[in-house]
């Protein structure tokens, strides 16, 4: 390496004297040394202080500017050289060279700037301040349609530079989006889809930009969906398909793009992948099956794309997805159940699916997962059943198909997501179904489990749903036996607490259930209502100006119902309810004002 130190000394002299021939020779020597041992040569270059001299060799007049840019590109492959390149003032002259017409100069300059920006905050800031990004985007636009190899190489370098410049930096990505880089890159992809290196660069750039919310609208106004699907159909290699998937997933979160992807035929590609990979145990195939079926489910999250694929329940896509549910592959069972849950987002679809035997398929699937089952499959199948149970006309059909029996098999689950969906499904099924509500409400095992879950402080969702189901059992059955079961299992205190929930709908459900308890089984529940401090809570709800009108109304109805109990009656008298109630007679809500008059009469008569 003695030669290199001589070269560096010589370079210092010739750089100042500008003797062209010996200068070229020195630069060639450096490039050779960098090719043999990049790290060591770079360290020597840094120690020699020659970097500062390079700035003067990067002027448009300099005949060796391309070689100097090439040397900078090589040394900037080392992380420790990037900040020194910025400190040596090389960024501004390099950015100036981007205005050159010489292809070799542009290529080496693009490489140099790209390498300096790689993972370097200082490098990116300097390029940003020098205005490098806009010049590169302008080049991409003007060179976009030239397909000769040299030009494609240059385009690839420029794409790479923009990627290194903006990678994982939201504000610089937003800057590129505002400069209109997205339509340009989409056009590039369309024209150069035969060029693997350039295609790959475009995909990585899309992957980075697609993470940004602001990019989605721009993407939606291009034909990206069509281009990606076209490219996807051509790919045989797993890695390439995986790269396209990584762009498709964030883009498919946008509803407009979902529809474009469906129209471009992505679904057919995904179904084909599933068919090819379903029986394979190769790791790549398992990954691809998962990615493909997950993406399929994501496309169904858009209302328009979902309805297009449902095709009134006759769609071939819908039929294929149905066939996933009885398969032996957990990933497909999961995707199938999630897809059904997504198709079940409007009454028409739900009614059609229940009439066509989907409930039985889901019940069979759940039966296969009762013992040590797959939690995600359980959760997905229960979600689908819950959605299917929303239309009134489906409830009786699902009840007679035995859905509650299947769902109750999961009462022993210790998994909060499964508990949550199980509760939601039961609550949907018994809505306005008195007989079913009574049957479930007398099921001691169920009621005891609900009371236990009402205390699941770590899982607000499970806690809320348990309370709501307890209340629903009473409200829909209006049955003394159900109330007795709930009292015996210790459920009353939870209903009283529920009346203080921050959600008006839950408060209301609790108050209606408590009023039914007071009307039907006051004697049985009296002690529990007392120890849960119900009367004090009602006083608070009536006195609080923030309470919703329906809360005030139902609280007064409940007060009147409690008068039948001597001890509760006494509590009502002790708390001066008359003052609060008489104020409500002038409430702006007519029903509240009327109920206040009735309650006032009742309190006056009974006092």
């Amino acid at each position: 390496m003695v030669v290199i130190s001589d070269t560096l000394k010589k370079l210092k002299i010739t750089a100042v004297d500008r003797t062209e021939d010996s200068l070229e020779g020195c630069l060639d020597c450096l490039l050779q040394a960098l090719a043999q041992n990049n790290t060591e040569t770079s360290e020597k270059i840094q120690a020699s202080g020659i970097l500062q001299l390079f700035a003067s060799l990067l002027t448009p007049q300099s005949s060796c500017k391309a070689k100097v840019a090439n040397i900078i590109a090589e040394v900037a492959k080392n992380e420790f050289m990037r900040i020194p390149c910025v400190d040596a003032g090389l960024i501004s002259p390099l950015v100036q060279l981007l205005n050159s017409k010489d292809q070799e100069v542009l290529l080496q300059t693009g490489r140099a700037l790209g390498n300096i920006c790689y993972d370097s905050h200082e490098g990116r800031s300097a390029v940003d301040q020098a205005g490098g990004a806009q010049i590169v985007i302008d080049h991409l636009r003007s060179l976009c349609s030239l397909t000769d190899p040299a030009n494609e190489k240059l385009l690839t370098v420029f794409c790479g530079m923009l990627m290194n410049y903006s990678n994982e930096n939201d504000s610089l990505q937003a800057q590129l989006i505002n400069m209109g880089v997205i339509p340009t890159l989409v056009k590039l992809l369309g024209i150069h889809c035969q060029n693997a290196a350039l295609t790959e660069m475009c995909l990585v750039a899309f992957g980075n930009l697609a993470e940004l919310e602001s990019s989605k609208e721009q993407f939606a106004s291009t034909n990206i969906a069509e281009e990606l699907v076209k490219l996807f159909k051509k790919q045989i290699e797993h890695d390439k398909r995986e790269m396209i998937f990584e762009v498709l997933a964030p883009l498919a979160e946008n509803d407009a793009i979902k529809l474009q992807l469906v129209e471009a035929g992505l679904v057919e590609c995904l179904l084909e992948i599933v068919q090819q990979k379903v029986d394979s145990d190769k790791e790549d195939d398992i990954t691809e099956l998962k990615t493909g079926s997950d993406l399929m489910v994501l496309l169904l999250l858009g209302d328009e794309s979902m309805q297009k694929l449902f095709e009134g329940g006759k769609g071939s896509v819908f039929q294929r997805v149905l066939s996933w549910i009885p398969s032996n592959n957990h990933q497909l069972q999961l995707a199938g159940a999630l897809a059904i849950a997504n198709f079940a987002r409007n009454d028409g679809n739900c009614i059609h699916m229940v009439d066509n035997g989907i409930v039985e398929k889901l019940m069979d699937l759940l039966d296969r997962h009762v013992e040590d089952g797959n939690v995600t499959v359980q959760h997905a199948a229960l979600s689908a059943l819950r959605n299917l149970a929303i239309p009134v006309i489906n409830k009786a059909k699902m009840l007679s198909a035995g859905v509650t029996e299947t769902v109750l098999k999961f009462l022993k689950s210790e998994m909060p997501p499964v508990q949550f969906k199980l509760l939601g499904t039961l609550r949907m099924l018994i809505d306005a179904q008195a007989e079913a509500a009574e049957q479930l409400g007398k099921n001691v095992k169920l009621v005891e489990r609900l009371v236990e879950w009402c205390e699941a402080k770590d899982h607000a969702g499970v806690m809320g749903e348990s309370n709501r189901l307890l209340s629903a059992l009473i409200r829909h059955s209006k049955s003394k036996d159900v109330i007795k079961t709930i009292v015996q299992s210790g459920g009353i205190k939870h209903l009283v607490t529920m009346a203080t929930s921050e959600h008006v709908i839950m408060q209301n459900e609790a108050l209606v259930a408590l009023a039914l308890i007071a009307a039907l089984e006051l004697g049985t529940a009296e002690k529990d209502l007392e120890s849960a401090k119900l009367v004090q809570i009602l006083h608070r709800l009536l006195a609080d100006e923030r309470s919703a009108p329906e809360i005030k109304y139902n609280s007064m109805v409940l007060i009147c119902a409690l008068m039948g109990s001597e001890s509760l009656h006494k509590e009502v008298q002790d708390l001066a309810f008359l003052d609060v109630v008489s104020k409500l007679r002038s409430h702006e809500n007519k029903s509240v004002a009327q109920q206040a008059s009735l309650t006032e009469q009742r309190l006056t008569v009974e006092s």
Side-chain angles (χ1 to χ4, degrees):
M1 292 298 273
V2 182
V3 193
I4 182 85
S5 13
D6 293 348
T7 304
L8 288 168
K9 276 189 200 137
K10 198 169 162 192
L11 189 55
K12 277 189 182 173
I13 302 162
T14 48
V16 181
D17 295 352
R18 290 294 171 101
T19 28
E20 297 288 337
D21 294 348
S22 50
L23 187 57
E24 290 275 348
C26 292
L27 294 173
D28 286 337
C29 258
L30 274 188
L31 280 168
Q32 243 171 333
L34 283 164
Q36 280 160 2
N37 189 331
N38 191 317
T39 312
E40 201 178 320
T41 308
S42 295
E43 281 167 352
K44 293 209 158 141
I45 289 176
Q46 190 188 356
S48 72
I50 195 96
L51 277 178
Q52 276 71 10
L53 289 176
F54 280 170
S56 65
L57 298 176
L58 288 171
T59 58
Q61 299 77 34
S62 160
S63 64
C64 54
K65 51 189 177 282
K67 268 185 191 153
V68 176
N70 187 356
I71 291 170
I72 297 170
E74 288 302 318
V75 299
K77 286 177 177 174
N78 303 286
E79 194 181 346
F80 65 87
M81 289 299 286
R82 290 173 199 149
I83 293 177
C85 284
V86 175
D87 293 344
L90 300 179
I91 301 296
S92 185
L94 281 168
V95 169
Q96 287 310 307
L97 285 183
L98 288 172
N99 295 306
S100 165
K101 297 273 180 283
D102 181 316
Q103 208 161 20
E104 179 65 12
V105 172
L106 288 175
L107 185 76
Q108 300 304 345
T109 306
R111 285 183 61 231
L113 288 169
N115 290 353
I116 292 171
C117 285
Y118 186 78
D119 251 355
S120 160
H121 171 69
E122 293 74 12
R124 292 169 181 183
S125 285
V127 173
D128 179 21
Q129 279 160 356
Q134 185 65 64
I135 307 175
V136 171
I137 289 178
D138 292 341
H139 275 304
L140 288 178
R141 269 196 205 114
S142 60
L143 302 170
C144 184
S145 39
L146 306 173
T147 52
D148 59 286
N151 187 58
E152 290 197 318
K153 194 174 174 191
L154 182 56
L155 288 170
T156 307
V157 165
F158 279 158
C159 281
M161 185 224 135
L162 288 180
M163 244 164 39
N164 288 354
Y165 170 70
S166 65
N167 190 28
E168 288 181 2
N169 182 315
D170 287 358
S171 64
L172 292 179
Q173 287 179 353
Q175 178 197 70
L176 294 182
I177 291 169
N178 291 335
M179 289 174 176
V181 75
I182 287 175
T184 307
L185 288 173
V186 174
K187 197 169 158 198
L188 267 182
L189 182 69
I191 295 172
H192 303 274
C193 54
Q194 302 304 326
N195 183 307
L198 185 47
T199 300
E200 204 161 303
M201 277 298 179
C202 286
L203 287 175
V204 179
F206 290 146
N208 290 348
L209 296 170
E211 297 296 336
L212 231 66
E213 226 15 75
S214 58
S215 74
K216 307 261 168 67
E217 275 171 34
Q218 283 225 16
F219 273 119
S221 64
T222 68
N223 63 337
I224 180 90
E226 208 180 311
E227 293 298 353
L228 287 174
V229 173
K230 207 159 67 183
L231 193 65
F232 191 83
K233 285 176 178 165
K234 281 190 214 154
Q235 300 308 329
I236 311 152
E237 290 165 57
H238 168 76
D239 294 348
K240 291 274 165 58
R241 298 225 282 217
E242 207 56 31
M243 273 186 87
I244 302 174
F245 272 141
E246 277 168 24
V247 180
L248 287 170
L251 285 179
E253 284 167 14
N254 175 285
D255 282 357
I257 300 176
K258 282 188 184 78
L259 190 58
Q260 291 169 6
L261 288 168
V262 168
E263 286 171 344
L266 178 61
V267 172
E268 290 70 14
C269 299
L270 297 177
L271 288 172
E272 203 172 311
I273 285 180
V274 167
Q275 205 168 357
Q276 287 166 2
K277 313 289 180 188
V278 64
D279 298 320
S280 166
D281 44 16
K282 286 197 348 224
E283 202 168 314
D284 280 355
D285 290 345
I286 293 169
T287 310
E288 212 164 306
L289 179 76
K290 178 173 173 19
T291 317
S293 52
D294 282 349
L295 187 52
M296 181 79 196
V297 173
L298 181 58
L299 291 176
L300 292 173
L301 275 173
D303 287 339
E304 283 186 84
S305 48
M306 177 272 287
Q307 213 47 48
K308 190 176 173 65
L309 294 171
F310 189 66
E311 292 180 55
K314 304 277 183 287
S316 60
V317 173
F318 171 64
Q319 297 299 334
R320 287 279 284 280
V321 168
L322 267 190
S323 70
W324 294 355
I325 294 176
S327 95
N328 289 320
N329 183 304
H330 281 190
Q331 173 57 35
L332 277 196
Q333 295 170 359
L334 171 64
L338 287 172
I340 297 302
N342 285 342
F343 279 125
R345 282 211 312 280
N346 62 50
D347 284 5
N349 292 6
C350 288
I351 292 164
H352 182 281
M353 287 194 277
V354 168
D355 288 345
N356 283 277
I358 292 214
V359 171
E360 289 70 14
K361 283 192 167 71
L362 290 167
M363 282 162 57
D364 289 346
L365 177 60
L366 279 169
D367 278 336
R368 292 161 70 183
H369 285 277
V370 176
E371 300 304 326
D372 315 318
N374 181 308
V375 174
T376 46
V377 174
Q378 293 172 358
H379 180 259
L382 287 167
S383 296
L385 285 174
R386 181 197 171 280
N387 288 2
L388 291 170
I390 293 172
V392 178
I393 192 170
N394 281 356
K395 297 181 198 294
K397 293 176 184 169
M398 289 175 72
L399 288 166
S400 60
V403 172
T404 43
E405 290 76 3
T406 300
V407 171
L408 287 172
K409 291 175 186 169
F410 294 90
L411 260 189
K412 53 182 189 284
S413 170
E414 291 305 330
M415 296 312 233
V418 174
Q419 297 167 351
F420 181 72
K421 285 296 176 190
L422 169 150
L423 292 163
T425 307
L426 290 177
R427 190 165 61 77
M428 279 303 157
L429 281 170
I430 62 164
D431 192 8
Q433 306 293 313
E435 203 178 313
E438 180 161 11
Q439 210 181 340
L440 283 177
K442 292 193 294 197
N443 179 332
V444 179
K445 264 194 182 148
L446 169 65
V447 174
E448 284 176 349
R449 193 70 160 135
L450 291 183
V451 170
E452 182 189 328
W453 285 340
C454 282
E455 286 163 18
K457 299 264 186 299
D458 301 342
H459 301 287
V462 172
M463 199 163 103
E465 277 292 341
S466 302
N467 277 303
R468 293 190 74 184
L469 184 53
L470 264 188
S471 149
L473 292 170
I474 295 170
R475 289 182 298 111
H476 298 303
S477 71
K478 302 185 175 52
S479 146
K480 290 182 169 221
D481 290 339
V482 170
I483 294 171
K484 282 179 191 159
T485 309
I486 289 174
V487 172
Q488 280 153 10
S489 306
I492 296 296
K493 62 174 183 289
H494 297 300
L495 289 170
V496 175
T497 309
M498 182 181 168
T500 63
S501 160
E502 64 215 31
H503 306 290
V504 174
I505 190 163
M506 284 176 68
Q507 275 186 297
N508 217 17
E509 286 172 359
L511 291 169
V512 173
L514 288 164
L516 282 165
I517 292 170
L520 296 169
E521 276 296 326
L522 187 52
T524 317
E526 185 177 48
K527 282 202 169 53
D528 289 353
L529 293 172
E530 235 175 293
S531 58
K533 307 235 180 315
L534 173 62
V535 174
Q536 288 85 325
I537 284 170
L538 292 174
H539 190 274
R540 246 194 3 248
L541 289 176
L542 287 171
D544 187 346
E545 285 175 4
R546 290 165 309 182
S547 296
E550 59 266 41
I551 301 303
K552 295 199 158 148
Y553 177 86
N554 282 325
S555 296
M556 288 188 282
V557 170
L558 183 47
I559 285 292
C560 295
L562 294 176
M563 299 301 240
S565 147
E566 211 170 305
S567 52
L568 292 167
H569 184 172
K570 187 177 180 316
E571 284 189 22
V572 171
Q573 284 175 316
D574 293 349
L575 265 178
F577 264 85
L578 263 173
D579 305 351
V580 194
V581 171
S582 57
K583 277 188 193 145
L584 292 174
R585 278 199 345 226
S586 53
H587 195 277
E588 57 187 2
N589 181 299
K590 280 221 178 74
S591 307
V592 172
Q594 270 173 332
Q595 187 57 40
S597 298
L598 290 172
T599 308
E600 189 181 35
Q601 285 166 18
R602 187 79 193 267
L603 289 168
T604 319
V605 171
E606 304 267 352
S607 58

